[in-house]
Amino acid sequence: MGKKFYITTALDYVNAEPHLGHVLEKVEADAIARFHRLKGEEVLFLSGTDEHGQKVSAAAKATSYEPLVFADEMAEKFRRLKEIFNLSWDDFIRTTDEKRHSPAVRAIWQKLVSSDDIYKKKYRGLYCVGHEAFITEKDLEDGICRDHSAAPEVIEEENYFFRLSKYSSKIESLINSGELLILPEGRRNEIISLIQGEGLEDVSFSRPSKDLKWGIPVPGDDSQTIYVWADALTSYISAIGYPEEGFRKWWPAEAQLIGKDILRFHAAIWPGMLLSAGLTLPKSLLVHGFITVQGKKMSKTVGNIIDPVELAKKYGAEPLRYYLLKEIPSSADGDFDLERFKDVYESDLANGLGNFASRVLTLGSQLQKFEADFEDIEDEVKKKIDFTKKTVEEKINSFKLNEAMQAIMALVAFGDFYVNKNEVWRVMDQGLKKKEIFNLVVILDNVSAVLSPFLPKTAEKITQNIQWLGRKTLQIKKGEVLFPRLS
Ligand SMILES: [Zn+2]
């Protein structure tokens, strides 16, 4: 086995059903993981669920289930996304896993204690239930939390604190040097200016058990529960066996995908915890944006939450993967609109990719079995294919998956242009235009190869119609309709 590649998604919080934003993050991580597998790397792709905390116990209470019964049911809904969207994660960690997860959380806690980074302090602060965190005046607008449109409570309590301030300048220099790469750059600048502005402050790492029962008790002090972030972040190493030495096979992760709302936790608290525990930082944080629906933030009150599972049932998972990967910029906000989705389906998939594949396979199938001569591949075709492959790789590595998709669709358009320019469908006196048809098959075969991390099923359907019988003999089958028209 060659290089290893460890990639994680954020752990989804199980207080609500999976929505389109969750699927976006999974599909992005899946495409990256598949790309690295195809390169021959040994890949570990981790996803999972964050199940402790006040919001989950409140949501469970509302359904009159015990928190764990409620969490089991919700975790299953997230786990099922794997099959529905053909996600290729290798492991799924739950923070309620008492065998794998809680021992790791206790172990890292002890590490932080032995680094003298945990201390008890009376604290009075503004607690936002939506954040499940103490927030500051800066997070407020007219006394209301900007993210959650609710007023925070003033809480005074004694908690354990993590000495994050101690690592402020170390974290800053690791981010600046690119040892911890944050993409896109705008997000990196955001965290750097936060650190430079006020420095990183110590953070509350536990809450009194009387107020927060649903979680892991602080080792040696049952009156306090480990606060949800210290618990959830540890999942990235608990899943790979921390504190057993074997976890070093995978750690540090090459890429951790997160939403922009949890940047601060992953670019400040998580690095701080790792440094305190004497561990290396992940190599990169890839930060995606949010999906709006017709320009509006998805919310229960507006009633515009999109159920990705329903959408996949109706239109298929691959068209939805396509939309999320191509129409939503990987690292900025993007919009979902059902009409737009249908337009893209018709133009890019039914008429674009689907039609091109069908044209090429139909032409190829007319040749029956034929001898392929690689000398026949035209320079222009070779160049375009090489350029596409190089661009796709560059764009994936710089977390611009949507631009990688554009490059793939440009190769499809090039193929269509080639068909028309050469009038490949014409039958000449000497018979079919074998050489041109072969060039098209080569283009389609390469479209399928670069497309495979993004639309694995579609790529597979294409490739299974292109069969090599021996080293030079090709047989093309007509194949099924890839994307039936919607109307
Ligand atoms: Zn809030």
Side-chain angles (χ1 to χ4, degrees), residues 127-133 135 139 144-150 152:
Y127 187 82
C128 170
V129 178
H131 266 89
E132 287 211 42
I135 58 176
D139 298 308
I144 302 265
C145 167
R146 226 177 263 124
D147 291 347
H148 296 99
S149 314

Side-chain angles (χ1 to χ4, degrees), residues 30 85-87 317-325 453-456:
D30 186 60
F85 290 96
N86 196 14
L87 303 167
E318 299 252 314
L320 194 55
R321 283 180 69 113
Y322 181 85
Y323 188 95
L324 293 174
L325 291 165
F454 302 92
L455 305 186

Side-chain angles (χ1 to χ4, degrees), residues 322-340:
Y322 181 85
Y323 188 95
L324 293 174
L325 291 165
K326 164 139 182 304
E327 295 297 311
I328 308 284
S330 309
S331 55
D333 292 348
D335 194 57
F336 183 85
D337 175 349
L338 191 58
E339 287 312 308
R340 169 102 187 108

